[in-house]
Amino acid sequence: EQAETFKYSQPFTGEGIESENTARPILVTINNHPKARPQAGISSADVVYEMLVEADATRYLALFQSKLPENIGPIRSARDYLIEIAGGFDGFYVAHGYSPEAHQMLNKKVVENINGMQYDGIYFERSKDRKAPHNSYISGENLKLGAEKVNATLEMKKKVGMAFYDTIDNVKIGIKANEIRMNYNNSTSPYNSIYQYDAETGLYAKSSPSKPTLDALTNEQVTIANVLFLEMPHRVIDAESRRELTLTEGGQAFIFQQGMMREVAWKNVNGLLVAIEDDGSEVQLIPGKSWIHLVPTTPGLTASVVYSE
């Protein structure tokens, strides 16, 4: 049987579609505190970036483009590096709160955005079953209304996307890696991640050390086609142990797909963090969703990422 061929593909999942998708990427800062789990809408994200915000706590920057879920959250505060990543996509950026550096950038309108500090109880709704700051949500509908309110288009102005394999028959290259563990700072942190490969689906199922990573809307475990780790310098900048991340210089990277692991590199291309092969070409992704961890240079990838057959 001949596979169905589509004229277009989704810019951030590579999946085939009938007509071109020109929706602007929407990037949302999502809380990953254990009290914020399970989060709503994360399985609808095409790409999720996960990185340290303070101490060993991580946060998600979720990119929604092929699908906008009916509810997203809990929403948390902006950081300068989250804004920089959103800016690389010319995205519409959603957060609730900000660090001092992020506040300055948002005031300067470095990215078009709405923030829960201005629209709490208007576009952002507090859930009654959780305590602040783990209870701010935005619905897909309110997100559109909020964009309208600040005169931001939700149509793509800058053409952006990622590189995908046309055919995935020959992708099995690298070292066998069916289980991946990402340790942020120490082996017992509740912010560590575990990925388990399922050869039948070709996807990695994500968990935290204590339980599966679920989407509160579906109660199903989050599964991912591509798991990437990008190494970069991190520096603690204040008494809250907030970080500064160097997103401009590139560095070492690991990619996991189809139960295999490869060492590659990454570089910043016009604000986008792009995984790169030895020959300088863009690393191709398996069609589907991607999860991208930003990892401190110290202790580095080889110390933080443990994988096994």
Side-chain angles (χ1 to χ4, degrees), residues 10 19 24 56 76 78 102 116 152 167 177 184 198 225-226 259 270 286 304:
Q10 297 282 19
S19 54
R24 185 181 197 175
D56 71 339
R76 273 309 298 268
T167 165
Y184 276 110
D198 178 347
N226 307 280
N270 303 322
I286 304 286
S304 308

Side-chain angles (χ1 to χ4, degrees), residues 16 36 133 182 224 245 271:
M182 169 66 219
I224 300 132
L245 273 60

Side-chain angles (χ1 to χ4, degrees), residues 97-219:
Y98 22 69
S99 66
E101 300 79 12
H103 196 184
Q104 286 179 336
M105 291 170 80
L106 295 176
N107 280 346
K108 286 184 192 149
K109 300 206 168 18
V110 170
V111 288
E112 291 190 298
N113 73 95
I114 53 166
N115 196 288
M117 297 296 271
Q118 284 76 45
Y119 297 107
D120 200 352
I122 301 165
Y123 302 123
F124 294 75
E125 291 166 21
R126 297 285 184 170
S127 141
K128 292 187 175 50
D129 58 1
R130 297 184 181 187
K131 289 193 171 71
H134 310 302
N135 67 351
S136 176
Y137 291 81
I138 191 163
S139 67
E141 207 40 57
N142 278 353
L143 208 154
K144 290 177 187 163
L145 293 171
E148 216 171 284
K149 170 82 177 166
V150 296
N151 295 319
T153 178
L154 291 181
E155 277 293 303
M156 195 184 273
K157 291 183 289 188
K158 172 182 171 183
K159 203 164 167 62
V160 280
M162 292 162 126
F164 292 91
Y165 286 103
D166 292 332
T167 165
I168 56 169
D169 302 338
N170 54 356
V171 182
K172 295 261 182 197
I173 45 174
I175 301 161
K176 238 180 162 174
N178 287 318
E179 186 181 272
I180 316 162
R181 296 184 73 95
M182 169 66 219
N183 295 331
Y184 276 110
N185 292 343
N186 64 61
S187 58
T188 57
S189 166
Y191 294 99
N192 293 338
S193 290
I194 301 156
Y195 295 90
Q196 203 70 47
Y197 182 65
D198 178 347
E200 267 180 47
T201 61
L203 301 173
Y204 285 92
K206 186 179 196 299
S207 303
S208 69
S210 55
K211 48 175 83 115
T213 302
L214 304 177
D215 187 324
L217 299 184
T218 60
N219 219 25

Side-chain angles (χ1 to χ4, degrees), residues 44-57:
S44 297
D46 297 340
V47 184
V48 176
Y49 293 86
E50 181 172 351
M51 71 289 282
L52 292 163
V53 278
E54 58 252 357
D56 71 339

Side-chain angles (χ1 to χ4, degrees), residues 247-298:
L247 300 182
T248 47
E249 289 167 16
Q252 197 185 1
F254 288 172
I255 181 163
F256 293 82
Q257 43 189 197
Q258 299 273 294
M260 308 297 277
M261 175 274 178
R262 293 195 301 128
E263 290 188 39
V264 291
W266 73 273
K267 66 179 185 184
N268 186 316
V269 183
N270 303 322
L272 296 171
L273 313 184
V274 180
I276 299 290
E277 301 284 5
D278 288 347
D279 66 2
S281 65
E282 199 171 328
V283 167
Q284 292 186 308
L285 302 173
I286 304 286
K289 297 177 175 19
S290 300
W291 202 284
I292 303 172
H293 286 266
L294 309 187
V295 182
T297 309
T298 312

